[in-house]
């Protein structure tokens, strides 16, 4: 193997692929990144067995020559060192050559690195997916969907299926749901699909995979292709492929949890409510984060939090469209803050069905998402 | 106690004083911040017994009314909660009142906090210093002196005196020295003093105190007054006083360690050397960080680092004014990087006296500081 490659593109792609590599793996070969040079270009692969990222840098792109292949071949290099090295190389170009199969030389400017390698034959093959179930989304929308759901997944391994985000497509609508059983975040969006009959449910992607995927997505509306199979999902964006395993198990049916009737409801400025709750939690011990909300006359609500050892905080907030019965409810302020942080709408509507029932928070601008919270018993 | 205070100034000063308060203290009253309101203004005090910060906010400053004192008095409030609360208050003004001595109410906008307090009579008194030994420095220069020396103090408690920076004044010149016995950083500067005879030595300020002091210093040339006593040092800046205890013990005489004769020397671009060393350490295991420097013909040097398990890196660097014998020397690259990072000069001069002797690094622009390093034995 021997090639010379344009620095910036290579650095960018190596950093992306390195995101899939974990230094804590028990499989030594997976601490490495696989480099394959063919006459078409250079392929980089990284994996931690849960997720895999593969990217291809072609010899030419448009009028630009990106790679000069001098000899085909392959090697696996320690991903952590390799990614740090290419990032810090001084020259505009990087030359990589493999003399014997277990050692590569990396040259750039006046720097010469010799790096021990691993046998590329030992590197596991990535899954080959049938492209039956395929749909498309703009990458900025996918990034937003992830941001607005993934924070609500469970971090506890007691019910593994809840550590993922559930995907469901029906009638051209993608429904993404995350819940840790104290809260639920649901986001709907319209997708492009080749097969108008496309529908599926119970496709559960690990939250960690989505967080990693989000890091390589950019803020533009380039379409990303998504292929779903029995136990893998593939996101294809240009020359990059991101694979994730899916979680086993049956995701709970959540649609029936969402209350439809309201006893009390009001709208409030998203930012004001967020800041009031943040102040209310200043005295919290960081464990239960209990906040009490009480409706007052004249479209006001009162938020209170008490921490016997430290003190007490009370704040009044003006709402609009306040309707229904008087309400006094206690909840975990932290999980409501998490949701308010990902809501882009200027105002939110909150709907209560009782002091001991789950309540719903929705943006007032549109109906693409909702958040559901369980109250906390304080007596 | 009851006063209304302008938000921005109060937030700024409370954050500064809170820097002195440690949550890990074993003395409960020191987890608090003391507030004292008199008809002249409000005084805030924080301390962790090593350092103490006291600041005063006058009722008026110039044409500006900062505080409206409604009733004199004092209280001690939990510094961690109090500092977070005032930072997040919504209004332009903050009203603080103490009803009984052990509870304060803080109002701002629609927020009302009630915070449990501690008895101000229990708060320790700050030392009263005789102002015999006093000199002045611009605060930006002091900030620079700290930055250029404090990184070199020892972090090991085996020789406590080395965990501090040693101050010495002779003939109007302030000499600051830090060493952890592998490296030494020395910085000289001219000071203003009222007493032309002023001289002292062996005034050792804990590195941690200087790091905290540096955080409240700003980038301007306002003069800071420094008062030295037997076991305390006081930095006075406007309405703020910063006290630190001094370290006991005799600081080693370091002037004799600095070699005066050179066997080999050269000058090199500071940034190039820094980047080359950073690349050389990419393969290091993070423990010994050994780098080998070898002089080559034609004003070149070669930097090499070998990590048997991972690989090897070599880089050539162009120097100027290279003089003297051929040299091959190994050293800890990390501690040389630390020094290069605080050097403002574009080029540095390096002077060797032998492969087994300490070597000197100096900026080429001026003579205000030097760095000394011990080599590492590699056989």
């Amino acid at each position: 193997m021997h090639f010379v490659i344009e620095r910036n593109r290579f650095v960018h792609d190596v950093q992306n692929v390195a995101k899939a590599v974990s230094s804590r793996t028990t499989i030594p070969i997976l601490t490495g990144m696989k480099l394959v040079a063919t006459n078409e270009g250079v392929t980089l692969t990284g994996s931690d067995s849960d997720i895999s990222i593969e990217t291809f840098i072609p010899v030419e792109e448009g009028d630009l020559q990106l790679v000069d292949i001098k000899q085909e071949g392959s090697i696996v290099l320690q991903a952590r060192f390799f990614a740090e090295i290419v990032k810090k190389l001084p020259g505009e170009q990087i030359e990589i050559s493999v003399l014997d199969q277990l050692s590569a030389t990396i040259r750039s400017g006046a720097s010469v690195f010799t790096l021990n390698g691993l046998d590329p034959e030992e590197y596991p093959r990535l899954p080959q997916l049938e492209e039956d179930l395929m749909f498309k989304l703009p990458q900025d929308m996918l990034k937003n969907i992830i941001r607005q759901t993934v924070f609500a997944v469970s971090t506890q391994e007691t019910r593994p299926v809840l550590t993922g985000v559930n995907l469901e497509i029906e009638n051209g609508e993608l429904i993404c749901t995350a819940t840790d059983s104290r809260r639920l975040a649901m986001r709907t969006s319209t997708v492009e699909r080749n097969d108008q009959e496309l529908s599926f449910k119970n496709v559960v992607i690990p939250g960690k995979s989505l967080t990693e995927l989000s890091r390589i997505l950019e803020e533009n509306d380039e379409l990303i292709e998504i292929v779903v199979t029995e136990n893998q999902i593939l996101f294809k964006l240009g020359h990059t492929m991101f694979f994730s395993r899916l979680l086993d198990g049956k995701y709970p049916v959540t649609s029936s949890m969402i209350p439809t009737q309201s006893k009390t409801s009001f709208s409030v400025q998203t930012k004001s409510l967020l800041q009031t709750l943040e102040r209310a939690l200043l005295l919290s011990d960081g464990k239960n984060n209990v906040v009490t909300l009480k409706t007052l006359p004249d479209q006001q609500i009162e938020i209170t939090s008490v921490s016997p050892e430290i003190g007490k905080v009370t704040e009044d907030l003006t709402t609009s469209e306040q309707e229904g019965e008087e309400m006094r409810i206690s909840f975990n302020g932290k999980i409501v803050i998490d949701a308010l942080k990902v809501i882009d709408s200027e105002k939110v509507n909150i709907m209560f069905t009782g002091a001991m029932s789950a309540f719903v928070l929705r943006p007032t601008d549109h109906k693409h998402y909702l958040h559901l919270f369980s109250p906390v018993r304080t007596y």
Side-chain angles (χ1 to χ4, degrees), chain A residues 28-302:
Chain A
I29 192 89
L30 290 186
T31 61
M33 185 181 298
K34 185 174 163 194
L35 285 78
V36 179
T38 67
N39 287 327
E40 283 76 47
V42 175
T43 304
L44 306 171
T45 312
S47 177
D48 71 354
S49 78
D50 278 352
I51 63 171
S52 305
I53 304 178
E54 183 167 292
T55 196
F56 175 70
I57 305 170
V59 165
E60 286 175 345
E61 199 168 66
D63 292 342
L64 225 65
Q65 179 164 17
L66 297 175
V67 196
D68 178 10
I69 304 282
K70 298 185 183 289
Q71 199 190 332
E72 296 188 325
S74 60
I75 194 165
V76 174
L77 296 174
Q78 289 301 317
R80 185 163 66 93
F81 293 105
F82 183 60
E84 278 302 303
I85 287 166
V86 297
K87 202 162 66 182
K88 296 219 168 173
L89 286 174
E92 289 302 305
Q93 294 199 313
I94 298 171
E95 180 179 357
I96 301 185
S97 52
V98 173
L99 296 178
D100 63 280
Q101 212 170 40
L102 296 176
S103 161
T105 303
I106 305 162
R107 283 171 201 272
S108 182
S111 285
V112 186
F113 282 84
T114 311
L115 213 53
N116 299 339
L118 297 162
D119 184 355
E121 293 301 317
E122 283 180 25
Y123 200 86
R125 277 169 213 289
L126 295 192
Q128 300 295 315
L129 304 192
E130 300 283 329
E131 309 211 348
D132 282 355
L133 290 178
M134 203 264 278
F135 61 98
K136 293 179 192 175
L137 276 178
Q139 63 170 332
D140 51 1
M141 186 193 278
L142 179 59
K143 203 175 163 79
N144 245 332
I145 292 174
I146 295 172
R147 184 175 68 95
Q148 292 170 337
T149 52
V150 82
F151 70 92
V153 303
S154 168
T155 52
Q156 317 231 294
E157 289 296 332
T158 43
R159 277 185 76 186
V161 79
L162 294 188
T163 64
V165 174
N166 182 46
L167 268 59
E168 194 176 328
I169 286 190
E170 220 184 304
N171 303 324
E173 195 184 46
L174 173 68
I175 305 163
C176 299
T177 314
T179 180
D180 63 1
S181 67
R182 298 174 304 162
R183 57 164 161 206
L184 177 145
M186 195 178 94
R187 172 73 154 89
T188 59
S189 26
T190 311
V191 297
E192 276 190 37
R193 62 219 150 122
N194 295 339
D195 173 5
Q196 293 304 312
E197 298 295 301
L198 176 82
S199 80
F200 59 76
K201 53 184 179 177
N202 211 70
V203 170
V204 190
I205 311 171
K208 268 171 57 188
S209 300
L210 290 173
T211 304
E212 284 305 333
L213 172 62
S214 180
R215 291 201 179 116
I216 69 172
L217 293 176
E218 283 164 28
E219 289 291 353
N220 65 53
D221 59 1
E222 207 179 319
L223 284 177
I224 190 157
E225 285 181 26
I226 303 167
V227 180
V228 178
T229 68
E230 185 71 22
N231 50 23
Q232 288 276 336
I233 188 164
L234 163 62
F235 299 86
K236 276 211 268 192
L237 179 72
H239 289 302
T240 300
M241 297 204 284
F242 183 102
F243 296 81
S244 170
R245 73 177 174 99
L246 295 176
L247 291 174
D248 290 334
K250 192 155 166 42
Y251 201 80
V253 177
T254 52
S255 51
S256 60
M257 296 178 192
I258 298 157
T260 48
Q261 288 193 319
S262 158
K263 275 196 185 159
T264 311
S265 71
F266 58 79
S267 295
V268 62
Q269 297 287 332
T270 312
K271 207 175 153 190
S272 306
L273 181 59
L274 174 63
Q275 291 175 339
T276 298
L277 289 175
E278 282 179 337
R279 281 190 285 269
L281 292 190
L282 286 175
L283 300 188
S284 163
D285 52 9
K287 266 174 252 156
N288 56 11
N289 299 311
V290 174
V291 163
T292 300
L293 184 153
K294 204 169 90 184
T295 57
L296 300 178
D298 299 325
Q299 300 281 334
Q300 299 283 305
I301 57 168
E302 182 194 81

